[in-house]
């Protein structure tokens, strides 16, 4: 595998081909899915950039399966990804935060051996206020007989992912992914419309600087969660306080912590006993990336990637980031 420095001019397409050489039996189907996701991300980036100028801010007026009001950009991003990925002959089904059921591949198109699960627009509450948002994706291999993807194909533990990644639409647009061979970041150069390698082989620092949690829920957290947050804030005298940063877009909070080291948490609380974030298309893909970068991710009792899913839109408590900080969470939350 060619070792690129961050001065090489390498497009994502070229990099994906080079990575494919790691797999002697590769058919190019997984590479094709990553190409199409890169294309869809460019189209979504364009919409996000123009959000204030064209009529795509605000609510769509519909609700998704989570009971959340859908933003116009949630629906636009969802359609862009489905239309970019449904005809390549590489997928047997898709699943989206914005769709209640599995999304079948239209009958006129060939089916493939992979499933794509995604959160088309992450951080929806930040769209209208021009704060970074993102897209999150996870790729699984079909495990049941037959052509069409089934729920059993979607409900596989995170360790079964063959690829995962996210896109952040911030001051620049970046696509970060892993196929199980490290984590690689690409920055979109809008002047040539290409994702260029900018962050090869990303690693998260062992000890984190940043704590990312919405402590507006402090009053309704279980006592062991409150004790844990006091620890991270240096209030129990056991360690130096971490610096608090919370954007309210999971992708943006995760990305900052991946680069600078930190802990993102969305604990369970009395109102949401399972937490808020979705296991299959938010927590599993970022946990895969984080572990590939040397970090860790738990639900408070076990490794997120070992959780056996039971439903498409299930939620889970989430602690992800620098290994040493997640270890503290595991130790203190085990105290029940
Ligand atoms: O406002 P809260 O309760 O802190 O929740 C913020 C969290 O909700 C989310 O916006 C949920 O994701 P969606 O926007 O994709 O529904 C996360 O990005 C973010 O971390
Ligand atoms: Mg989300
Ligand atoms: Mg979303």
């Amino acid at each position: 595998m060619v070792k690129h420095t961050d001065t090489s001019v390498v497009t994502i397409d070229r990099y994906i081909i080079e990575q494919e050489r790691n797999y002697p039996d590769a058919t190019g189907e997984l590479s094709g899915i990553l190409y199409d996701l890169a294309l869809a991300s460019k189209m979504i980036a364009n919409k996000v950039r123009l959000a204030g100028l064209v009529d795509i801010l605000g609510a769509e007026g519909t609700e998704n399966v989570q009971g959340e009001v859908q933003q116009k950009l949630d629906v636009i991003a969802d359609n862009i990804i489905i239309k970019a990925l449904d005809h390549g002959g590489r997928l047997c089904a898709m699943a989206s935060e914005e769709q209640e059921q599995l999304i079948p591949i239209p009958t006129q198109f060939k089916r493939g051996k992979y499933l794509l699960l995604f959160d088309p627009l992450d951080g929806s509450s930040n769209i209208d206020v021009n704060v970074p948002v993102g897209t999150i994706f996870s790729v699984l291999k079909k495990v049941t007989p037959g052509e069409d993807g089934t729920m059993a194909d979607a409900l596989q533990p995170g360790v079964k992912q063959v690829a995962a990644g996210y896109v952040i639409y911030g001051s620049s647009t970046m696509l970060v992914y892993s196929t199980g061979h490290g984590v690689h970041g690409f920055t979109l150069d809008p002047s040539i419309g290409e994702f260029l390698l900018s962050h090869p082989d990303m690693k998260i620092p062992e000890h984190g600087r940043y704590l990312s949690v919405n402590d507006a829920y402090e009053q309704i957290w279980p006592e062991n969660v409150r004790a844990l947050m006091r620890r991270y804030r240096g209030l129990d005298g056991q360690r130096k306080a971490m610096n608090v940063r919370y954007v309210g877009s999971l992708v943006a909070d995760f990305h900052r912590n991946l680069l600078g080291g930190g802990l993102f948490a969305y604990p369970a609380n009395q109102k949401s006993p399972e937490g808020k974030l979705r296991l299959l298309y938010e927590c599993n893909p970022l946990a895969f990336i984080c572990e590939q970068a040397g970090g860790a991710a738990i639900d408070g009792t076990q490794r997120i990637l070992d959780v056996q899913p039971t439903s498409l839109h299930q939620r889970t408590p989430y602690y992800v980031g620098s290994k040493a900080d997640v270890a503290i969470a595991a130790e203190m939350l085990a105290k029940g």
Side-chain angles (χ1 to χ4, degrees):
M1 175 71 191
V2 180
K3 203 108 193 83
H4 289 286
T5 67
D6 50 16
T7 51
S8 315
V9 176
V10 182
T11 64
I12 194 167
D13 298 12
R14 167 72 190 270
Y15 200 79
I16 291 170
I17 292 172
E18 285 175 8
Q19 278 231 314
E20 197 183 289
R21 296 206 184 106
N22 287 331
Y23 311 91
D25 329 325
T27 61
E29 283 179 76
L30 184 57
S31 302
I33 294 168
L34 295 170
Y35 294 151
D36 293 343
L37 282 165
L39 170 65
S41 314
K42 292 179 202 172
M43 295 167 72
I44 297 170
N46 220 19
K47 297 284 183 195
V48 171
R49 296 257 156 290
L50 296 173
L53 299 174
V54 290
D55 176 29
I56 50 177
L57 287 179
E60 178 72 14
T62 47
E63 266 192 15
N64 65 17
V65 60
Q66 343 266 337
E68 292 161 348
V69 174
Q70 289 181 310
Q71 302 301 306
K72 287 182 183 161
L73 262 172
D74 284 325
V75 177
I76 290 168
D78 194 42
N79 290 333
I80 287 175
I81 294 174
I82 293 170
K83 289 287 164 249
L85 273 291
D86 68 0
H87 57 284
R90 299 154 185 137
L91 296 175
C92 58
M94 293 183 255
S96 163
E97 176 194 1
E98 303 306 331
Q99 309 268 344
E100 181 156 4
Q101 301 303 336
L102 275 186
I103 305 161
I105 299 300
T107 47
Q108 69 269 36
F109 299 132
K110 187 171 149 298
R111 281 109 178 93
K113 62 175 186 247
Y114 293 107
L115 238 93
L116 176 71
L117 305 96
F118 59 94
D119 175 355
L121 209 287
D122 177 65
S124 309
S125 62
N126 281 325
I127 297 170
D128 292 6
V129 290
N130 204 358
V131 168
V133 292
T135 291
I136 312 174
F137 62 87
S138 167
V139 182
L140 292 165
K141 218 176 205 166
K142 187 173 183 14
V143 288
T144 63
E147 285 210 321
D148 292 311
T150 66
M151 204 48 92
D153 294 314
L155 300 182
Q156 298 181 59
V159 278
K160 298 290 184 190
Q161 293 173 98
V162 292
Y166 61 88
V167 185
I168 177 165
Y169 309 104
S171 39
S172 67
T173 295
M174 268 192 77
L175 191 159
V176 175
Y177 82 93
S178 178
T179 55
H181 283 252
V183 176
H184 313 288
F186 301 79
T187 301
L188 179 62
D189 179 339
S191 67
I192 56 171
E194 285 282 2
F195 277 109
L196 300 179
L197 181 66
S198 53
H199 298 67
D201 226 5
M202 301 169 83
K203 294 285 179 225
I204 186 169
E206 172 90 14
H207 296 272
R209 256 190 295 159
Y210 301 113
L211 170 63
S212 310
V213 65
N214 184 346
D215 52 19
Y217 299 110
E218 180 149 12
Q219 298 315 315
I220 54 172
W221 283 336
E223 181 39 40
N224 61 352
V225 172
R226 271 187 268 178
L228 175 63
M229 296 307 158
R230 282 197 294 276
R231 170 70 56 87
Y232 290 137
R233 292 198 197 106
L235 298 175
D236 66 356
Q238 301 291 316
R239 62 167 293 162
K240 213 163 72 45
M242 296 172 88
N243 206 345
V244 174
R245 289 277 186 281
Y246 191 74
V247 173
S249 294
L250 168 62
V251 162
D253 285 310
F254 177 83
H255 186 69
R256 178 218 312 109
N257 294 348
L258 182 65
L259 294 170
L263 191 278
F264 173 92
Y266 205 109
N269 60 52
Q270 282 155 23
K271 238 178 53 197
S272 321
E274 294 305 316
K276 175 181 183 177
L277 301 174
R278 282 53 59 123
L279 176 64
L280 290 181
Y281 44 78
E282 289 177 315
C283 301
N284 271 343
L286 298 184
F288 186 84
I289 294 282
C290 198
E291 288 200 7
Q292 279 288 315
I298 61 170
D299 64 357
T301 54
Q302 64 172 315
R303 182 184 175 221
I304 280 279
L305 295 181
D306 291 336
V307 174
Q308 174 53 54
T310 52
S311 68
L312 206 51
H313 303 286
Q314 76 184 75
R315 301 172 190 264
T316 178
Y318 198 41
Y319 303 82
V320 61
S322 295
K323 207 172 225 163
D325 304 305
V326 174
I328 293 172
E331 181 212 321
M332 294 186 69
L333 295 173
K335 288 193 190 125

